[in-house]
Amino acid sequence: MIVLYCNPSFWEYRLPFYVELNKLFKGQFHVIYSTKRYAYGHQNLLNKIKEELGKNAHPYDNELMFDVKSKSFNKFTEGGKQIPLPIHLWKKINEINPDVIITEGFFQWTPWIQLWAFFHHIPVFMGYERTLHTERNNSKLKTWLRKIQNKFIKGYLVNGSETRKYLESIGVSPTKIFIGGMNADGEGLRKGIAALTIDEKKDMLAKYKKKDGLIFLFCGALIERKGVEPLLKAWEQYTLIHPNDTLLMVGGGTLENKLKSEFGSTPTVFIEGRKEYSEVCKYYAIADVFILPTIEDNWSLVIPEAMSCGLPVATSIYNGCHSELVHKDKNGITFDTLNQKSIIQALDYFHHHDLKEMGHQSVLLEKPFNTENCAKREYEACLLYTSPSPRDPKTSR
């Protein structure tokens, strides 16, 4: 069975997942992705995709983007309203001639893929991540269109229960929803931590850790949606209670300069900016607790990343992964980012628990969502819920 995953763009952490799926499908798993969505400077990632997936990686160069605001065709940019026009995508799919096709979300390439699959009698699975919270402002028209599209979807490969709740709310049958999980590259991070020398770790601890204090690590985009400003404002009050704790923030974004201006001189706050993915493991290695105060996220990968590295975690109730991954008094706690008192209580919570045991529990709780287990569930969904190919036996492989 040939399986094709049409994913317009993905980052390095997704590669081990695709490699594992290719093993499960015995070399018959293929990925199409748009080279136009990788900005200048990402050539190393494009090279790595080809290196890891070989002939099963299919770069697609013909995508156009129509910018709604300027009413013109532009290069792909993050944010804004852009309508993708996947010129010659069907030709690319025809070259692979899949038995099963997997798409991402209801928009982007999906309508085109669903139409191709309809004409070729090929089952379509959808990778989907959104939740009731992230979709709370959807229009009735968008919901109605998704209900129509649902009629032509064989199954949904979702992260967890929060996504399941949303899909069921728009009429998707529970029998079509399969928990796949958006996995982090835990193994790669652990290898990076293991490769750190004792001196490297000592140097970082000397820079960031105070005597008897905890290091709280935030890793992610410094943007409004991640809740970094409420966290920093709560931190000012929190350090009156625990003055030796430090907050280490790794990541870049539109708020970076503003935050450095307002909080950069605070001796307990370190805003380090964006780091290469290969460097992130160093910060996981020295942290005591990982914290993510997001105001809106489908399934923040940094939470399972931190858990796989043996860290206790704290995240907000607005994070779609909290139901599965964060268990109070086992591996962490959840809080309300919009309530400063809730943030302060969550930070203080870790001074009253065995962090080593919580980190151990994090590793155990993350395991069902590691690369191997997520890939296995998606593989089984494709096998169990895909009927035999309806193609003419004379033309089938």
Side-chain angles (χ1 to χ4, degrees):
M1 179 170 67
I2 296 179
V3 177
L4 171 63
Y5 208 129
C6 292
N7 191 348
S9 65
F10 53 91
W11 300 107
E12 191 170 353
Y13 65 83
R14 204 64 174 155
L15 271 174
F17 177 70
Y18 290 152
V19 169
E20 184 65 22
L21 280 172
N22 195 33
K23 290 179 183 176
L24 292 171
F25 284 108
K26 303 186 187 305
Q28 297 299 309
F29 177 82
H30 299 256
V31 182
I32 290 179
Y33 52 97
S34 173
T35 56
K36 298 292 182 69
R37 301 205 184 198
Y38 292 88
Y40 177 78
H42 286 100
Q43 188 58 49
N44 286 341
L45 176 55
L46 290 173
N47 291 340
K48 189 168 184 178
I49 292 171
K50 289 294 292 181
E51 179 185 333
E52 293 286 335
L53 294 175
K55 63 182 179 60
N56 293 49
H58 303 272
Y60 165 62
D61 305 318
N62 300 110
E63 185 178 36
L64 294 178
M65 284 289 174
F66 181 77
D67 187 84
V68 174
K69 186 176 181 179
S70 65
K71 294 182 172 56
S72 62
F73 291 97
N74 296 320
K75 293 181 179 179
F76 175 79
T77 55
E78 294 290 343
K81 292 186 178 180
Q82 295 177 304
I83 300 174
L85 298 175
I87 308 300
H88 303 312
L89 178 62
W90 283 13
K91 180 181 179 181
K92 197 80 174 176
I93 297 173
N94 283 333
E95 291 173 359
I96 300 166
N97 195 23
D99 299 297
V100 177
I101 195 163
I102 305 173
T103 186
E104 282 279 320
F106 285 98
F107 186 49
Q108 299 299 327
W109 294 353
T110 296
W112 302 81
I113 289 166
Q114 285 187 290
L115 193 57
W116 181 91
F118 176 78
F119 288 135
H120 291 80
H121 307 289
I122 300 300
V124 177
F125 284 81
M126 180 188 290
Y128 196 68
E129 303 178 32
R130 308 290 280 175
T131 69
L132 279 168
H133 179 67
T134 59
E135 300 301 272
R136 63 194 182 280
N137 297 320
N138 276 353
S139 66
K140 291 183 179 179
L141 175 60
K142 180 181 282 189
T143 299
W144 178 77
L145 289 172
R146 290 179 176 184
K147 289 182 177 181
I148 297 299
Q149 286 180 269
N150 174 51
K151 297 180 184 295
F152 303 95
I153 295 292
K154 186 74 174 180
Y156 295 85
L157 308 170
V158 309
N159 294 332
S161 58
E162 297 300 313
T163 301
R164 179 193 291 276
K165 290 175 187 176
Y166 169 69
L167 289 174
E168 290 180 357
S169 78
I170 64 171
V172 175
S173 169
T175 61
K176 294 173 66 173
I177 303 172
F178 313 107
I179 302 296
M182 178 64 78
N183 65 288
D185 182 17
E187 183 178 355
L189 289 167
R190 290 190 296 272
K191 286 180 179 178
I193 290 173
L196 286 177
T197 66
I198 294 175
D199 287 340
E200 284 177 314
K201 191 171 180 179
K202 279 184 178 179
D203 288 343
M204 292 194 71
L205 286 171
K207 180 178 180 181
Y208 298 115
K209 193 173 181 69
K210 295 186 177 183
K211 184 179 179 181
D212 299 325
L214 300 180
I215 297 177
F216 286 85
L217 172 65
F218 165 90
C219 186
L222 297 180
I223 57 177
E224 185 177 354
R225 181 170 60 85
K226 295 296 182 179
V228 287
E229 287 185 285
L231 172 61
L232 283 163
K233 288 175 181 176
W235 185 263
E236 290 181 314
Q237 298 300 312
Y238 168 74
T239 50
L240 298 176
I241 308 169
H242 296 288
N244 288 335
D245 286 2
T246 53
L247 177 60
L248 175 55
M249 308 186 79
V250 176
T254 54
L255 293 179
E256 182 177 350
N257 291 334
K258 178 185 177 184
L259 297 179
K260 284 182 176 179
S261 175
E262 293 182 9
F263 302 97
S265 60
T266 304
T268 58
V269 175
F270 297 87
I271 302 173
E272 296 297 339
R274 184 183 179 276
K275 301 295 179 182
E276 292 297 324
Y277 186 73
S278 59
E279 297 289 306
V280 172
C281 61
K282 296 179 180 180
Y283 298 93
Y284 284 122
I286 64 165
D288 295 297
V289 178
F290 187 89
I291 185 165
L292 181 66
T294 182
I295 297 172
E296 180 177 300
D297 255 309
N298 298 319
W299 181 279
S300 297
L301 277 173
V302 288
I303 292 297
E305 277 184 358
M307 290 170 62
S308 72
C309 296
L311 291 180
V313 290
T315 193
S316 74
I317 56 175
Y318 309 112
N319 190 343
C321 71
H322 80 268
S323 298
E324 277 78 20
L325 297 180
V326 186
H327 296 240
K328 186 178 180 181
D329 296 336
K330 282 192 175 181
N331 73 316
I333 193 171
T334 58
F335 58 90
D336 185 349
T337 306
L338 305 181
N339 182 326
Q340 186 176 99
K341 183 178 178 181
S342 179
I343 299 174
I344 294 172
Q345 288 175 339
L347 292 166
D348 177 70
Y349 168 88
F350 293 98
H351 279 273
H352 311 287
H353 289 79
D354 183 342
L355 300 189
K356 185 176 181 180
E357 176 58 25
M358 295 187 90
H360 174 67
Q361 292 298 321
S362 275
V363 172
L364 297 179
L365 288 167
E366 187 272 339
K367 190 173 182 179
F369 296 91
N370 65 15
T371 298
E372 292 76 15
N373 286 318
C374 286
K376 184 179 179 182
R377 285 195 292 274
E378 293 209 2
Y379 167 75
E380 290 174 347
C382 289
L383 288 187
L384 293 175
Y385 298 96
T386 303
S387 58
S389 174
R391 300 176 183 179
D392 188 323
K394 295 179 181 178
T395 61
S396 64
R397 285 172 290 275

